[in-house]
Amino acid sequence: MQSQIIDALTKIVGQEYILTSPEDLYSYSYDATPGFQNLPEAVVRPANTEEVSKILALANTNKIPVYTRGSGTNLSAGTCPMQGGIVMVMTRLDKIIELDSANLVAVCEPGVIVGDLNTAAAKFGLICPPDPGTVKTATLGGTVSENAGGLRGLKYGVTKHYVMGMEVVLASGEVMNCGGKNVKDVSGYDMTKLFTGSEGTLGVITKLILKLVPAPEAKKSMMAVFKNLDDAGNSVSGIIAANIIPATLEIMDNATIKVAEEYSKVGLPLDAEAVLLIEVDGNPIVVEQEAEKVLNVLKANNAFSVQIAKTAAEVDKLWACRRAALPALNKLRTTTYCEDATVPRSMVPKFLRAVQDIAKRNNVQIGTFGHAGDGNMHPTIVCDIRDKVEMARVETAMDEMFKAAVDLGGTLSGEHGIGLGKLQWMEYQHGPVTINAMKAIKRALDPNLILNPGKLVGEC
Amino acid sequence: MSNEITAKDVNEQDKALLKDIDNALENCSKCGGCMAVCPMYKELGVEGAVARGKLSLMQGVLNGTFPISANFDKAMGLCVSCKACSANCPCDVPADELIIRGRQAVVKARGLSPIKKNVFKLLQNRHMFDFALRMAGLFGPLSFKKLPRPMAAVARFPMPGMDAKRVTAPFSATPLRSQYPETIKVDKPKMRVAFFTGCTINYAYTDVGQSVINVLKANNVEVVMPSMQHCCGTPVFTSGDVDTGKTFAKHNIETFERYDVDYIIAACGSCTEAFKIEYPHMFKDDPAMKARAEKLSKKTYEISEFLVDVLKFRTDNLGPINATVTMHDPCHMVRGIKVTRQPREVLKAIPGLKFVEMQAPDRCCGSGGSFSLAHYDISRKINDRKVADIAGTKADLVATSCGTCRMHITDGLVQNNLNAEVMHVIQLLDKSYQAGKK
């Protein structure tokens, strides 16, 4: 990078907030996605919208790629600076500007950690429901840009259902506002939705207006073990058919059960084909009634055993085995690909079978767990990225797996985003017309293609 | 200098220093979970501050992107060794140990920093070290001004490597082990224990050592303080000077082996951890030494752990202490030897004492042993959060089980104009026994 660009960036953010040493650049060459790494040429940490605007204006004039980054916890290489350029770290914009309990709205800067917003909202008895696995580390900006989901998607939806408005700096450096605190708002194109989930390819979010909801008063957790996968699938359909929308409805397949049991010793039978974890929440009386109904559905569908947590300690124990799923798989090998292919709820058993078959055929180890209630699965491949022969098999398995999801009417990504990881299957899912429409939007808003270039819709 | 030669040779040599941890580093999935708990990251906000970043820098050396450079050294130095990353890692990556391995590679590739080199050289010679710290105790009052609170002092004039306003513990005119005979006898002893005093208690916080002895005497336990004991080696070891650390370990093992005692006790999380965990670990490639270290490890206890789990200390003759007390869990107590229940049981046994838990009692106080000497500003910021949590409890007293935590929190309370006092758990128990005699 030319030294006058470095000087100009230094003038904008100050000496303390620009990093250029090889070691510092290396520290921002990766995110939580295995297999993607490239050195940026400068890392800047702006303090406010004005600085962000100046950085983008400079980058746009000089056609320098800009990679916006929060905590760098995404799983789709969304923040990897694959073409060098500038990594812009947003974590200094970390203020909760306003908690408006009358309008059930929070106004935040994008660097606020998701968990911190919930801690602040809890004082008013409110929550911001999207809870990706990284609540304690991920920023709101990253969560909105990836349109992250979480465990409560079935009942509460995902991030996009909670974004009401935002301030965005466009590629040109101009500052744009869209949406607001209005529950109903049909004035113009829904720009808020467009930028939500745009993975930093259309603009840089500098302020967010988020919807809050009352925290549920009571919760009840239960776990059911199944010897037959179809019984588990039928239980999921049965619960929905009984007009119950649990907050959480999680499934683990046999491969995952085996490693999770090995890791956490909670007493799961190793021959179980599936485990369901269910949590209903809301008004205490309704919660009791719903738990009872769920129990009946589970029994009617041949659950081998059912456990209802009676104390906080029992709740912890039930969830310990679900929490153990990823770490347990993680520990098996050095490299872990946690994918998030998603299918319509009714297709979950079919997809799980397809993944098991793909794993066997390609001699690849895959454990699948995920959010059965919303069809969002996490087929998790464990391998060693340094073993080229094995990685060739992994690539074939991934290819077959994503195509299987799409063929079942599903989607490549439920909540992790496309980034680079799943880019090669975008056309398979969407077809050329949709892809071209997406690229046209990208080119209209970022004509010099400086914002997270090459990601989500690929080269334009 | 050697950096300028750029040379592949330098990279190759540096790579070799980290080669054996290649797999261990690869196990880090870069999920970034450590960002949620790292006190350093909380203050600095950059990747190089957190475990994920440090592990990745080591991989950068391994894949030849840069050599073990000054910046690499600096990044490895920015860690308080609080172990929060390892304790919370979903993949069980021992990041704290790997960072120490990184420091070890720095020492091999670039040598120790000049200040540490001199301090460790002094430490290596037990007699010189003892002499220097005794002198500090004798002449300390000339250079340090005592504050109107117990066991606190500030420098009278600028000291090299020391922030001018900083409150430290005064060095004692007479070290603890010189205040007593080697064996402190009691009538018909229930058991005999060896007391590993550690440096902070021997030279500075002698009041803690006195309380340990008083409490053990009150429980009919004979105490021996082996005169040849030396620094546990943790400060040297965590700085990456593993060979010197091993010398200390060997010396202490040989010293304590000579005494026929039922148990070994220490009143500091880090010192206990050295005997209990680090020594056997250090000699993992030397079966004979490992076996000797393990033998001592099995009978080593932190004082509160010993009182509660082994001795079942007397509670029938405790007198009242009317104070509100909160507890700070030192990193090496909670995540090192995993002792948090026992100090609380000791405190809760004291009549009149009102125990209030603070927010995040197990969060690092920012001292990090010698870290606070090199990076007082960062150390202070981390500590200000701790002090705010203490203020939230409105406690009169903060109990803890580590000398450097006590010193750093005392400094924090003074800098933030708070009146609470910091004491070792054992001092409160000692006071309660004294009150019981009245």
Side-chain angles (χ1 to χ4, degrees), chain A residues 136-150:
Chain A
K136 288 183 185 162
T137 49
T139 62
L140 290 172
T143 310
V144 171
S145 294
E146 297 292 330
N147 191 6

Side-chain angles (χ1 to χ4, degrees), chain A residues 8 47 54 71 81 84-85 87 131 218 251 255 263 277 385 403 406 441:
Chain A
K54 284 181 182 163
S71 297
V87 166
D131 60 342
I251 193 166
Y263 178 86
L277 276 148
I385 201 164
K403 285 177 177 162
V406 172
I441 293 173

Side-chain angles (χ1 to χ4, degrees), chain A residues 19 21-23 26-28 30-32 39 45 69 71-73 91 136-137 263 327 330-331 333-335 385-386, chain B residues 22-23 26-27 29-32 35-36 44-47 52-53 56-57 60 63 65-66 69 71 90-92:
Chain A
L19 307 170
S21 79
E23 296 81 0
Y26 194 82
S27 300
Y28 290 90
Y30 57 83
D31 54 30
L39 291 178
R45 298 168 59 214
R69 180 183 170 110
S71 297
T73 55
T91 49
K136 288 183 185 162
T137 49
Y263 178 86
N330 238 330
K331 278 189 66 173
R333 303 289 301 279
T334 52
T335 311
I385 201 164
R386 296 166 297 183
Chain B
D22 191 7
N23 274 322
E26 196 68 33
N27 279 332
S29 69
K30 307 274 184 294
C31 72
M35 287 186 285
L44 303 179
V46 291
E47 280 279 329
R52 169 172 81 166
S56 136
L57 284 176
N63 63 33
T65 309
F66 38 78
S69 56
N71 283 329
C91 306
D92 287 349

Side-chain angles (χ1 to χ4, degrees), chain B residues 265-281:
Chain B
I265 55 116
C268 154
S270 312
C271 293
T272 315
E273 190 187 9
F275 267 71
K276 229 177 154 129
I277 300 167
E278 300 292 348
Y279 289 177
H281 195 61

Side-chain angles (χ1 to χ4, degrees), chain A residues 395-406:
Chain A
E395 267 169 46
T396 313
M398 271 200 206
D399 183 61
E400 292 178 11
M401 197 169 77
F402 284 120
K403 285 177 177 162
V406 172

Side-chain angles (χ1 to χ4, degrees), chain A residues 442-458:
Chain A
K442 164 74 176 167
R443 281 192 294 260
L445 283 167
D446 178 18
N448 289 334
L449 307 174
I450 61 162
L451 294 171
N452 211 3
K455 310 271 181 73
L456 183 58
V457 290

